[in-house]
Amino acid sequence: KKSLVEACTEFSKHDMDNFFGWWISQDPHDATRKVFFLSQTGYTLPERTYYLEDSAEMRKHRSTLVTVTSKFYAKLGYSQQESDKRANAILEFETKLAKILDQKEVTRKDHGKPIEWSKMEELMPYWPWKDWLKGLASCTSPPDGAASVCTGDHAAITEVGQPGKTHLYLINEAFFPKMNKLLEETSFDTMKAIMSWQVMRNGAIFLSAEYIDLMVEFNADLFGTKQ
């Protein structure tokens, strides 16, 4: 679990959130300050109906997701059986995720509310929030081996939620206990597959043509994009 949190922390620093989202933005109740937000996360397909609607069109989109994901793993050297296993596990997890996310109409009205870390530990005890925040604040080198853009840890991040410091705001409160249950029921192998898939699809544009072609195939199915 420690390595999972460390990996998620590094992903979060590079705009690849897993299992929940975070960002810093203007306080919706006080335009003179910025606050630290926690919120529900997203998935690969555009919205929850792509996972939950039982129509020929949506079934096709889900099938393409599995096919393309499996092809990515196969190109990395995994057996066809293992590639298919990982791809189907990702779809299964994301379908469960779609069921617990707040609908867009609810999210649009939720501007967040102040919350303490102790409450977050009650809502989602599976996640070691203090360790995650400490990792988020640490100055580490990019995973691609590039030079680090920081020279020291970010103390202001570790102080989020403390009196007189940057406020902690929560959006989609009902999501977090549900995500806690989902994580408890999900194997580490599936979690690793979810995270590796995110790296692949985010990094495909920087890889060779064969990987870019796979994303073209995926986007062509979703949006009709041919290039």
Side-chain angles (χ1 to χ4, degrees), residues 44-108:
T44 306
L45 298 175
E47 58 179 51
R48 65 200 302 268
T49 54
Y50 282 71
Y51 296 92
L52 306 180
E53 184 179 299
D54 187 23
S55 65
E57 180 182 5
M58 294 305 171
R59 287 196 297 272
K60 182 176 182 296
H61 291 320
R62 293 193 288 270
S63 177
T64 299
L65 170 60
V66 171
T67 298
V68 171
T69 306
S70 180
K71 287 180 179 179
F72 262 101
Y73 282 114
K75 286 189 178 298
L76 292 177
Y78 291 94
S79 68
Q80 191 59 58
Q81 181 180 8
E82 180 63 21
S83 297
D84 290 344
K85 178 183 177 181
R86 290 177 176 232
N88 280 292
I90 290 168
L91 175 61
E92 181 182 356
F93 179 88
E94 293 192 350
T95 300
K96 292 177 180 178
L97 176 60
K99 293 178 180 179
I100 67 174
L101 291 176
D102 284 348
Q103 298 191 34
K104 291 187 294 185
E105 294 75 12
V106 175
T107 300
R108 289 194 190 102

Side-chain angles (χ1 to χ4, degrees), residues 3-4 7 12 16 25-26 33 39 53-54 60 69 73 81 113 119 123 128 134 217:
S3 61
L4 170 68
S12 292
M16 293 186 288
S25 187
Q26 188 179 68
R33 67 183 185 187
S39 178
E53 184 179 299
D54 187 23
K60 182 176 182 296
T69 306
Y73 282 114
Q81 181 180 8
K113 65 177 183 180
K119 179 63 176 178
L123 292 172
K134 182 179 179 181
E217 178 183 343

Side-chain angles (χ1 to χ4, degrees), residues 1-14 16-19 127 132 135-136 143 191-192 195-196 198-199:
K1 186 174 179 180
K2 179 182 178 182
S3 61
L4 170 68
V5 175
E6 290 175 350
C8 285
T9 301
E10 291 304 311
F11 279 32
S12 292
K13 294 177 185 178
H14 296 86
M16 293 186 288
D17 292 334
N18 290 276
F19 314 126
W127 199 253
W132 173 77
L136 196 66
M191 292 183 191
K192 288 189 291 186
M195 296 173 69
S196 60
Q198 183 170 154
V199 171

